[in-house]
Amino acid sequence: MIVNGLGTLQPFVTPVVKLSRLFEAWNVELYAKLDLLQLSGSTKERTANGLIEELLGSRRLRTGGMIIESTSGNLGIALARQCVVRGVRFMAVVDENANPVALELMEAYGATVNRVQTPADGNKLAARRRRVSDLLAAHPGSVTTNQYGSLANPRAHFDSTMPEIIAGSGGNLDYLFVATSTTGTLLGCQQYIRTHGLNTKIVAVDSVGSVLFGGTAGTRRLPGLGAGVLPELASSAEPDLVFQIEEIDMVRGCRRLADREGILAGASTGAIVAALGTLLPSLEEGSRVAFMVHDTGVPYLQTVYNDEWVSTVLNEDPDHVADTEEFSDH
C-alpha cells in the first residue's frame, strides 16, 4: 500500500490470477483481477480515492468538510473509509435496494446514511440524485463527488486498474469483461486501450432492467450493477459487446465462482461470470480473456448466497443454482 504526503492511504495494487477451473471445457486463458481485496472490499476504493483527490486538489473540499453522494453500496463504503483518513465527513444517500451489511459498514466508518423511499415511477437512482441536490442546498459548503459525471472516475481506472490488468496478465488480451453502473471503470479501461493502441475488446456487463446501452428500465433487486438514469459518463462509453444479465444468472455466476475457484464475489462479478459462460464457447482456442472481480461477496451473504432469499425474492429453486452448467442466453 502506498502512503502519500498527506498520510492518506492509496488503493492497493491487487493481483491478477489465472483461473483454470471456472470454465474447464473451453481452451482459453482466463484471468481475474481481484479488486475484492481492496481495503473497502471493492474496486470503488480506486474511484473514491480519485474523486476525493480531485476535490481536494481543486480546493472545493477541505479537511473538516462534508461529501454527500448517492450510492448503491460499494462507493459509499469506499468513500466512508477514504473520508476517515482525510478528516472529512460523509453522508451516503441510499435507496431501499441498498444492502443492509453495506450500510452497517458505512456507519462503522462514521458515515451518516440518508435513506430515500422508492418513488412512484420506481426510479431509485433519480430519487437518490434529487435527494443529494436537496442536501447540498441544506448543508452550505458541502460537495458531491459526482461519480456519474466526474472525469476523475474513469481517470482512476486509466491510471491504475487497466495498467495493473495488463501487467498481471502479460498483456495481449483479446477481451476484458467489466460490469457497468456509472461506466467509470469501463470508460477508464477503454481510454487506456485506445491510448496505447491495444487490440483488446471491451465487454460491458449490464443488468436486465438497466437503461444503459439502450436497455429498458425495469425492476432490479441487486445493487451495484446497471442504472435507472443514464449517467453523464455513459455518453463516451463504447464497448465492443454488451451483455444484459438476469438476476438469477448473477446468482448462478457468483455461486459457480465460489464453488470452482474459491472466490466469494458480489452480484456484478456473478453477472460477468454469466456473460463469460455465454461468450467463451464461441471464442477461438487460446483466446486470452480477463475480467474484474469488482467486490467481495460478504455483503451478499443474505441475498445472493442465501437459498431462502433466492427462492422467495427471485422465485427460483436454489437447489439448481450452484451446480448449473448453463446460463441464460441474453
Side-chain angles (χ1 to χ4, degrees):
M1 174 163 286
I2 301 169
V3 182
N4 71 15
L6 296 175
T8 54
L9 297 175
Q10 303 296 316
F12 277 111
V13 175
T14 57
V16 176
V17 296
K18 189 174 183 179
L19 305 183
S20 60
R21 294 178 294 274
L22 185 60
F23 291 103
E24 294 176 320
W26 313 114
N27 185 19
V28 299
E29 292 186 34
L30 186 61
Y31 297 89
K33 174 64 168 165
L34 301 183
D35 255 16
L36 82 170
L37 297 178
Q38 294 291 349
L39 260 181
S40 59
S42 81
T43 196
K44 293 296 186 179
E45 183 82 5
R46 302 175 189 270
T47 307
N49 180 72
L51 292 169
I52 296 178
E53 285 296 301
E54 194 274 336
L55 289 173
L56 291 170
S58 66
R59 302 186 70 80
R60 286 176 287 163
L61 175 66
R62 299 172 185 269
T63 299
M66 175 186 284
I67 290 174
I68 303 172
E69 182 58 283
S70 158
T71 172
S72 62
N74 284 330
L75 182 69
I77 299 169
L79 283 172
R81 197 200 74 77
Q82 291 275 340
C83 284
V84 166
V85 297
R86 290 177 169 88
V88 174
R89 291 171 292 156
F90 175 55
M91 182 180 293
V93 177
V94 305
D95 60 46
E96 293 174 298
N97 266 7
N99 192 304
V101 176
L103 301 186
E104 290 179 13
L105 287 168
M106 292 181 215
E107 291 175 330
Y109 283 122
T112 299
V113 174
N114 188 288
R115 293 169 173 82
V116 175
Q117 298 298 312
T118 302
D121 64 4
N123 196 323
K124 298 178 178 67
L125 175 56
R128 293 201 322 253
R129 298 189 70 176
R130 286 193 296 269
R131 178 67 60 82
V132 169
S133 295
D134 292 343
L135 289 169
L136 289 171
H139 293 83
S142 62
V143 296
T144 183
T145 59
N146 185 25
Q147 62 162 320
Y148 309 101
S150 173
L151 296 180
N153 183 343
R155 188 182 308 125
H157 302 286
F158 179 97
D159 290 341
S160 67
T161 306
M162 194 64 199
E164 290 177 26
I165 291 172
I166 293 298
S169 65
N172 301 316
L173 289 170
D174 295 299
Y175 292 90
L176 172 66
F177 284 68
V178 180
T180 55
S181 180
T182 67
T183 69
T185 305
L186 182 147
L187 186 55
C189 293
Q190 170 190 297
Q191 291 168 344
Y192 185 95
I193 287 168
R194 292 182 177 180
T195 298
H196 292 83
L198 305 179
N199 294 320
T200 306
K201 293 181 178 179
I202 291 238
V203 181
V205 181
D206 192 19
S207 172
V208 170
S210 166
V211 300
L212 295 172
F213 313 113
T216 301
T219 300
R220 290 178 292 120
R221 290 151 294 195
L222 290 170
L225 185 66
V229 175
L230 279 176
E232 296 88 330
L233 293 174
S235 62
S236 299
E238 298 175 341
D240 297 282
L241 293 170
V242 176
F243 286 91
Q244 287 197 317
I245 305 298
E246 296 280 3
E247 287 178 316
I248 184 57
D249 290 331
M250 298 178 199
V251 171
R252 290 174 176 146
C254 285
R255 294 185 176 204
R256 184 183 187 117
L257 186 61
D259 182 61
R260 300 199 175 185
E261 297 286 355
I263 298 173
L264 194 74
S268 60
T269 304
I272 290 176
V273 174
L276 283 166
T278 300
L279 184 64
L280 290 188
S282 68
L283 299 185
E284 294 182 4
E285 288 193 3
S287 293
R288 306 185 76 249
V289 179
F291 70 97
M292 294 291 300
V293 179
H294 287 276
D295 64 346
T296 174
V298 172
Y300 298 86
L301 290 176
Q302 296 306 312
T303 53
V304 167
Y305 297 97
N306 184 284
D307 287 351
E308 182 178 356
W309 186 90
V310 174
S311 178
T312 58
V313 176
L314 299 186
N315 197 30
E316 295 282 348
D317 184 353
D319 290 338
H320 297 293
V321 172
D323 297 326
T324 296
E325 291 293 325
E326 301 294 336
F327 291 98
S328 299
D329 185 7
H330 301 293

